[in-house]
Amino acid sequence: MNSLHILKERTSSQKDDGNVGERFCYCRGLEEPPMVGCDGENCKIVWFHFSCVNITKSPEEIETVKWYCPDCAM
């Protein structure tokens, strides 16, 4: 059984000024937790900021085993 992919703290060494780093989410923003990972096999984005996909619960409150972004859920 897969578990929900949640990013609770930064894992990269990106600078806080936001000038470098990999881009994520629909907003094309930098890694800024909390983030959730899409379980869609062909997801083009993979990591999403909670606020950009309307997740309002804390990571600990989410009981879903798998999560799919709006594009992959179609």
Side-chain angles (χ1 to χ4, degrees), residues 37-58:
C38 178
D39 285 304
E41 288 184 27
N42 297 312
C43 186
K44 294 178 181 175
I45 298 175
V46 182
W47 286 101
F48 299 84
H49 302 107
F50 272 35
S51 60
C52 293
V53 289
N54 297 317
I55 295 176
T56 57
K57 294 182 178 185
S58 70

Side-chain angles (χ1 to χ4, degrees), residues 7-69:
L7 179 66
K8 296 180 187 177
E9 56 188 55
R10 258 187 211 163
T11 58
S12 71
S13 59
Q14 84 179 40
K15 295 180 181 178
D16 286 332
D17 63 11
N19 289 331
V20 297
E22 186 176 357
R23 300 295 173 155
F24 301 91
C25 195
Y26 293 124
C27 71
R28 304 311 303 151
L30 296 171
E31 178 183 292
E32 191 62 45
M35 297 179 77
V36 61
C38 178
D39 285 304
E41 288 184 27
N42 297 312
C43 186
K44 294 178 181 175
I45 298 175
V46 182
W47 286 101
F48 299 84
H49 302 107
F50 272 35
S51 60
C52 293
V53 289
N54 297 317
I55 295 176
T56 57
K57 294 182 178 185
S58 70
E60 292 79 18
E61 293 177 300
I62 298 174
E63 298 176 11
T64 305
V65 175
K66 288 191 176 192
W67 181 84
Y68 296 91
C69 73

